[in-house]
Amino acid sequence: MIDPISAIGMATAAYNGIKKAVATGRELHDMAGTLQKWATSMSDLDFAHKQAQNPPMFKKMFGASQIEQNALEVWGHKQKAKEMREEMKTHISFYYGPSAWDEIVRIEGDMRKKRKEAVYAAEERKQLILEWIVGITIGAAAIGVLATIFWLIGSAQGKW
């Protein structure tokens, strides 16, 4: 799972870097790396929020309290990210014009799409494989317990 604490930490660092660069009058193209880090971490935070809203079945069964805590934590980070986004939109639109913010939103959308195709798809596949392994293991254990019960009943009745 994408770690929301790391994602918000990277987003905050990138946000502070962008804010300083805007205040000193640097051009947006000079901040490309920082903007990319910010967009990536915002995308990771959105993915973590999506995962927190729909946790895997085995986590629902074995860690319900942790799921609620994680969901609240991700929600708090999401609110902080929303505030950063609004403040950054104001700064960039004021210094560079609204078209610059539109360009940043477009870049962020491209980053989300690329990360969804690469990183998030792999994470979801891993999660699906893990769920299948846990499900098959529980099913095999249940079949083993039932077979043992039938064998014990059969041997007690003298059938085996």
Side-chain angles (χ1 to χ4, degrees):
M1 180 174 158
I2 303 294
D3 181 30
I5 295 172
S6 299
I8 195 67
M10 287 176 43
T12 302
Y15 165 76
N16 289 333
I18 293 168
K19 193 173 171 183
K20 282 181 189 175
V22 168
T24 60
R26 285 182 50 198
E27 291 296 321
L28 278 178
H29 59 81
D30 294 336
M31 298 181 273
T34 310
L35 285 168
Q36 182 178 2
K37 286 179 187 176
W38 184 75
T40 299
S41 55
M42 295 306 270
S43 180
D44 288 349
L45 193 59
D46 284 344
F47 184 72
H49 186 252
K50 178 183 158 195
Q51 282 187 320
Q53 287 179 331
N54 189 19
M57 186 181 307
F58 68 89
K59 283 191 179 181
K60 288 179 187 175
M61 292 180 352
F62 299 116
S65 63
Q66 185 181 10
I67 289 174
E68 293 167 359
Q69 179 183 4
N70 186 35
L72 287 172
E73 186 178 289
V74 170
W75 179 81
H77 293 318
K78 190 89 164 130
Q79 294 305 312
K80 183 177 179 181
K82 187 177 179 182
E83 291 170 9
M84 284 191 298
R85 176 184 292 280
E86 288 301 316
E87 191 173 333
M88 188 160 42
K89 178 182 179 182
T90 303
H91 277 31
I92 289 176
S93 294
F94 179 73
Y95 285 102
Y96 302 105
S99 63
W101 179 252
D102 293 340
E103 183 68 18
I104 289 173
V105 169
R106 188 191 61 75
I107 290 168
E108 186 180 2
D110 291 344
M111 290 296 302
R112 285 179 200 272
K113 184 178 177 183
K114 288 176 186 175
R115 286 195 60 84
K116 182 177 182 180
E117 291 171 355
V119 177
Y120 305 146
E123 186 78 24
E124 288 172 346
R125 272 193 307 275
K126 224 179 0 179
Q127 191 68 39
L128 184 64
I129 290 169
L130 184 62
E131 287 177 6
W132 272 94
I133 289 171
V134 168
I136 289 170
T137 303
I138 290 172
I143 289 171
V145 167
L146 284 174
T148 302
I149 290 171
F150 286 135
W151 181 79
L152 289 173
I153 291 171
S155 63
Q157 293 177 352
K159 295 183 179 178
W160 283 291

